[in-house]
Amino acid sequence: MSAADPGLLRLVNAVLWPGFLGTEVPSWLAHALDDGLAGVVYFAQNIDQADADQPARLSAQLRGIRSDLLIGSDEEGGNVTRLNAFRGSPHPGHAQLGRVDDLAATQSAGRAIGAAALAAGVNVVLGPVADVTTQLANPVIGMRSFGSSTELVSRHVAAMIDGLQGAGVAACVKHFPGHGDTHTDSHLALPRLDLSWSEVKRVHLPPFLAAVQAGVRAVMTAHIVVPDQGSAPATLNARVLSSLRSTGFTGTIVTDALDMAAIRETVGAGPGAVQALLAGAELLCIGNPANVGGAGQDLVDYLQIRDALLAAVADGVLGVDVLELAGASVARLGAGLGGAPTDYVAASSSGAIVRAAITVRGAVQLPQRSLGILDVRARPSLAVSSMFDPFSQELAASFDIERLTPGPSASAARAAAISIGADAGVVVLADRIATPGAQRDAVEAIVAMRSTAVVVNAGLAAPEPGSWAGIDALAASRVTAQVVRDLLSGGAR
């Protein structure tokens, strides 16, 4: 087959899963779908925040071009959502569910997430997260994990998969072989998991085995190097991916986004795509074009990887049989998904689950009507991506707020604290105070000046909490912000 062969183009397109720009279907995407493209992944820029029905219409428009495509979205609950990126998730996050440790609640949350995804036309949910958070300073996993216990994470991963797939969507568990003990965000650089393979198997692989035993339809790879298994990141590493197959997994292996710096700035997205297929990956997630460039970046990203695969076939590096096998797996992933969306209501409300997960320390009810919000958080990671602040929105319903954003700087935090009127209450928003660092220093600087400040920690709880009054919320979601608002205003006692 030549690179110009329409049949070869369809084989290549069948393993590609790009993102795109805008809330309408661009012409290049329509043509690629006509030529066999596997589907698309939604990101925040594809969702019209002012129109709740728009995602379903967009999905219908895409399926009008080709009915059997895969539409994926990161819907983890808690901090990570694309469909609710501008409103905040209404579902509890993994860390909250792990803290409550009620498997029925986790299954119900999965069912609710799956039903909401299906109503929007999404048939592959990129979740749950099976990473075990054994590194508090991990910059990208944190409260996206169910917890630091292998056994706890394993049982909640299985429960979440039961819920998601029971709703009619495919779950894609992530990030194999485990991203929970890394110090680097793979969106920004290539992390190393400096553990022996035996330790990885003991601590980090069991949740993925639990996912396989629960019948998960897809597994997403991690762009992390495990030195015991060679120098290639897991996504490009045949030894690591064969270890996934050795668990009995027969579903589809999906790459994490190939536009992430861990791949793009090391081997390159195009060569990385070729290497991933040769290593055993089957569906190539291209990524979010909004993270890399401006107008037209979606087409650039798609062509870069498509043409690299076509060239690899022409050069004899990539066999047609590899594409055929991968495409067949992708087709099986899409089989039997969907159905009529249901208005599923979780057995336990999201608010009740979140309230049970939250830890309150000291006196947090604020008698003042006027409230200064000092946000010392850094920019969200690209995994979260949304800049929306549900805390400020919800608190504005009960208080007259002034929001300042000094960020993780002690000097800027002190200046912001000084600017808040003496009669106003103070709430400090933080999410990286579990370990020493700039953000914790900023919190301490504010509390030293405003001793009655309440610290709302949306990240992992510190092993040794500070002396201040505070709420360990374990997420920055809409439902979490609503519960925090009620606690601060005295609406939930």
Side-chain angles (χ1 to χ4, degrees), residues 32 72 100 199 383 412 429 450 472 479:
V100 174
E199 181 73 358
L429 297 181
R450 305 293 293 255
D472 286 325
V479 63

Side-chain angles (χ1 to χ4, degrees), residues 11 94 98 108 118 140 146 151 154 175 233 252 267 276 285 294 302 324 425 490:
L11 284 176
H94 284 28
S108 293
L118 193 61
V140 70
F146 289 111
E151 293 76 16
S154 296
H175 309 81
T252 303
V267 299
C285 179
Y302 160 68
E324 290 173 337

Side-chain angles (χ1 to χ4, degrees), residues 348-367:
S348 299
S349 72
S350 293
I353 294 170
V354 169
R355 179 62 190 92
I358 282 177
T359 300
V360 176
R361 290 176 288 99
V364 299
Q365 186 175 331
L366 298 172

Side-chain angles (χ1 to χ4, degrees), residues 38-439:
V40 298
V41 179
Y42 285 161
F43 294 96
Q45 74 268 6
N46 304 126
I47 309 303
D48 183 348
Q49 62 175 319
D51 185 350
D53 297 325
Q54 176 266 337
R57 290 200 308 273
L58 176 59
S59 298
Q61 184 183 4
L62 287 162
R63 290 202 168 92
I65 301 169
R66 223 191 71 233
S67 61
D68 60 343
L69 79 164
L70 300 173
I71 299 179
S73 183
D74 285 286
E75 301 301 327
E76 299 173 12
N79 287 25
V80 178
T81 174
R82 306 304 180 225
L83 298 176
N84 290 288
F86 300 102
R87 294 182 288 270
S89 176
H91 307 292
H94 284 28
Q96 293 169 333
L97 290 164
R99 175 68 62 83
V100 174
D101 197 13
D102 178 341
L103 296 181
T106 297
Q107 185 181 41
S108 293
R111 187 71 178 262
I113 290 170
L118 193 61
V122 170
N123 57 4
V124 182
V125 168
L126 300 177
V129 173
D131 306 316
V132 182
T133 298
T134 51
Q135 173 52 254
L136 285 177
N138 191 312
V140 70
I141 302 300
M143 57 278 188
R144 296 171 65 201
S145 166
F146 289 111
S148 59
S149 160
T150 300
E151 293 76 16
L152 180 143
V153 173
S154 296
R155 60 181 180 263
H156 283 276
V157 161
M160 179 66 76
I161 289 167
D162 286 344
L164 287 168
Q165 296 192 163
V169 300
C172 180
V173 69
K174 55 192 182 185
H175 309 81
F176 187 85
H179 212 312
D181 204 332
T182 58
H183 293 75
T184 304
D185 183 348
S186 49
H187 293 85
L188 307 177
L190 179 59
R192 288 168 54 96
L193 187 60
D194 287 314
L195 302 174
S196 67
W197 187 242
S198 62
E199 181 73 358
V200 173
K201 289 196 293 183
R202 184 181 70 83
V203 176
H204 297 280
L205 293 192
F208 294 97
L209 178 58
V212 172
Q213 293 171 341
V216 73
R217 300 285 296 271
V219 176
M220 177 173 281
T221 64
H223 301 329
I224 60 173
V225 172
V226 185
D228 257 13
Q229 298 296 295
S231 60
T235 299
L236 317 181
N237 191 317
R239 290 177 65 185
V240 174
L241 299 190
S242 65
S243 72
L244 171 56
R245 290 299 185 198
S246 72
T247 66
F249 177 63
T250 58
T252 303
I253 298 178
V254 183
T255 70
D256 206 344
L258 295 171
D259 69 350
M260 292 163 62
I263 300 298
R264 187 186 71 246
E265 295 183 6
T266 55
V267 299
V274 175
Q275 293 176 39
L277 286 172
L278 292 173
E282 295 159 322
L283 181 58
L284 306 178
C285 179
I286 295 176
N288 185 357
N291 291 342
V292 180
Q297 187 66 44
D298 47 1
L299 176 57
V300 170
D301 291 347
Y302 160 68
L303 291 177
Q304 180 184 22
I305 290 180
R306 187 202 71 177
D307 292 349
L309 297 185
L310 290 170
V313 173
D315 294 342
V317 174
L318 180 65
V320 169
D321 59 328
V322 175
L323 290 171
E324 290 173 337
L325 289 171
S329 177
V330 174
R332 289 193 298 273
L333 174 60
L337 296 178
T342 58
D343 292 326
Y344 181 80
V345 179
S348 299
S349 72
S350 293
I353 294 170
V354 169
R355 179 62 190 92
I358 282 177
T359 300
V360 176
R361 290 176 288 99
V364 299
Q365 186 175 331
L366 298 172
Q368 302 95 330
R369 174 71 183 178
S370 179
L371 184 65
I373 299 175
L374 304 183
D375 193 340
V376 302
R377 296 172 294 178
R379 181 182 177 88
S381 74
L382 292 177
V384 175
S385 77
S386 176
M387 296 295 289
F388 173 73
D389 177 19
F391 291 111
S392 296
Q393 182 183 71
E394 292 298 331
L395 289 172
S398 298
F399 299 91
D400 296 323
I401 70 167
E402 178 184 5
R403 181 175 184 262
L404 301 175
T405 56
S409 161
S411 59
R414 278 190 290 268
I418 291 170
S419 73
I420 300 295
D423 294 333
V426 174
V427 168
V428 186
L429 297 181
D431 62 4
R432 291 292 301 277
I433 58 175
T435 55
Q439 199 175 120

